Amino acid sequence: MQPDAGVIRQDAGCEVPTIDKKATRPMFKALLLEKNDTGFHAGLTELDEARLPAGDVLVAPTWSTLNYKDALALTNRAPVVRTWPMVPGIDGAGTVVESSHPDWQPGDRFVLNGWGVGETHWGCLAERARLQGDWLVKLPAAFTPRQAMAIGTAGYTAMLCVMALERHGLQPGDGEVLVTGATGGVGSVAITLLSTLGYRVVAASGKAHEADYLRGLGAVEVIDRATLAAAGKPLQKERWAGVVDAVGSHTLANALAQTRYGGVVAACGLAQGMDLPASVAPFILRNVTLAGVDSVMAPRALRQAAWDRLARDLVPAALERIAEEIPLDQAIARAADLMAGKVRGRLVVRIV
Ligand code: NDP
């Protein structure tokens, strides 16, 4: 717990007065998730800055977003939140307000993804967050905070997936690349990135009516996700040079079974399920590589590399096709929509 604003605190061995923010901005707007004897409650509220958790950087997120994980937290659908009460929001972008971290000065533009923020540490669906400077990445000049949140954890994870495919040797011209969970956040950005880089992208989606959207992002073909959703043979007709999978379960097992000799599959999600009912046949008979992708605890250097690649490879205008803007007070209702599969692309949350 942070000391009250205006009191004297110990900092690196010397006493320094904290800035008295109470006179100018004692409270901030935030979503708050609570669990107690009466059950789960999510609401928009005003909180005292003094309640913010410990951290060496105070930030003002001007934009946040709703990822799959945020939607799980806001609807209490899975144990995403580990401590209560919780300010949700695993992503944020905006400006540094105060800092005792050597890399960050007031006014610096930051982007934050993961590190347990919104799960174990108060997050960015709020006008203020106190974070660790080591968690922040410099916001590339190519992006506004709003564009950074149109990318968000989903888009940065899509970039990590593309980088994983490249690390295992995939190149444009090698053959078709499958993207599952195609109309979702990870899928939409993955299709955009891969097609911009020159890959032939095939999108697997359950939303036939979104085929034009997916082709607009750069998919050359859209297949029905039902063709991948049920149990299949351990080895199937070889098709994919690479796969970005946001779905898991039978979909991932079938994608592996259809991957060509020497191909690579980047697995990052579990929209269908956490299970992997597969065999080792694709690995030992076709030299297929399964590359796991985690964004939450990815080291800082890898994050910065991913954001630098996004700045280089993602045309900001493409984000407008993917992003839908909502105000903070609609976040709870739209989280339910996201869980119900009614959201396309990315929801960007305007904080101020
Ligand atoms: P979204 O909800 O935006 O997209 C998920 C998409 O998956 C949906 O749009 C839908 O696409 C498809 N889908 C949903 N339910 C099913 C189902 N039962 N069977 C098959 N497909 C389904 O989520 P995100 O894109 O933000 O995240 C996708 C996954 O990646 C999630 O599981 C999330 O937890 C995970 N993730 C992991 C990260 C990591 O660090 N490893 C980081 C970010 C996300 P369509 O309608 O087109 O079929």
Side-chain angles (χ1 to χ4, degrees):
M1 185 71 77
Q2 287 294 302
D4 278 337
V7 301
I8 302 295
R9 67 184 159 90
Q10 288 290 125
D11 203 353
C14 58
E15 284 191 339
V16 286
T18 56
I19 301 161
D20 187 354
K21 293 271 168 194
K22 284 199 162 177
T24 52
R25 196 177 183 89
M27 308 290 279
F28 65 97
K29 213 167 33 164
L31 290 189
L32 192 68
L33 308 181
E34 296 171 284
K35 205 177 235 182
N36 52 35
D37 296 345
T38 61
F40 171 79
H41 179 72
L44 185 60
T45 188
E46 297 251 317
L47 296 171
D48 191 322
E49 232 175 68
R51 287 187 65 188
L52 285 169
D56 50 16
V57 181
L58 178 69
V59 299
T62 47
W63 294 88
S64 184
T65 175
L66 287 188
N67 292 285
Y68 191 83
K69 194 183 266 180
D70 296 306
L72 287 172
L74 266 66
T75 56
N76 195 30
R77 286 274 288 272
V80 168
V81 175
R82 306 288 173 170
T83 57
W84 304 90
M86 177 57 58
V87 174
I90 70 171
D91 286 340
T95 314
V96 171
V97 178
E98 292 173 11
S99 171
S100 58
H101 188 285
D103 294 352
W104 296 98
Q105 308 298 322
D108 286 350
R109 295 181 345 142
F110 75 94
V111 59
L112 177 279
N113 304 113
W115 290 117
V117 173
E119 300 178 60
T120 56
H121 187 103
W122 282 13
C124 293
L125 285 163
E127 290 176 320
R128 287 288 185 276
R130 197 181 289 279
L131 305 168
Q132 299 297 350
D134 283 348
W135 295 343
L136 307 183
V137 166
K138 303 274 179 202
L139 179 61
F143 298 127
T144 62
R146 182 183 183 281
Q147 288 166 336
M149 288 297 97
I151 297 167
T153 281
Y156 140 69
T157 302
M159 187 76 245
L160 291 176
C161 288
V162 172
M163 290 163 70
L165 298 182
E166 291 173 347
R167 248 193 329 275
H168 290 93
L170 188 73
Q171 293 179 350
D174 283 352
E176 292 174 315
V177 179
L178 173 70
V179 175
T180 64
T183 66
V186 173
S188 293
V189 179
I191 293 167
T192 307
L193 279 169
L194 288 163
S195 67
T196 305
L197 291 168
Y199 291 92
R200 278 182 65 78
V201 185
V202 176
S205 175
K207 300 189 183 84
H209 61 281
E210 296 290 7
D212 286 347
Y213 164 75
L214 294 168
R215 288 203 180 86
L217 298 182
V220 295
E221 186 182 338
V222 180
I223 62 172
D224 186 344
R225 79 180 190 202
T227 61
L228 296 164
K233 291 184 182 161
L235 286 177
Q236 301 170 31
K237 188 167 180 236
E238 294 178 56
R239 181 162 185 191
W240 318 115
V243 178
V244 172
D245 178 61
V247 170
S249 193
H250 289 298
T251 300
L252 176 54
N254 286 318
L256 286 163
Q258 295 172 9
T259 297
R260 285 167 33 177
Y261 193 94
V264 52
V265 177
C268 73
L270 42 61
Q272 184 182 10
M274 210 190 225
D275 57 331
L276 179 51
S279 83
V280 295
F283 311 124
I284 63 173
L285 298 175
R286 289 189 182 157
N287 211 27
V288 167
T289 298
L290 178 57
V293 172
D294 166 63
S295 66
V296 180
M297 291 297 163
R300 214 173 159 195
L302 181 60
R303 286 164 188 265
Q304 192 68 58
W307 276 98
D308 291 347
R309 280 288 306 273
L310 284 160
R312 198 186 81 190
D313 296 334
L314 192 64
V315 184
L319 292 169
E320 290 312 313
R321 280 199 289 269
I322 295 173
E324 177 190 343
E325 181 181 320
I326 60 168
L328 186 58
D329 62 9
Q330 280 181 19
I332 294 166
R334 296 310 306 274
D337 286 348
L338 201 146
M339 284 289 95
K342 293 181 187 161
V343 171
R344 180 183 93 178
R346 304 270 303 128
L347 290 172
V348 194
V349 182
R350 181 167 19 89
I351 304 293
V352 287

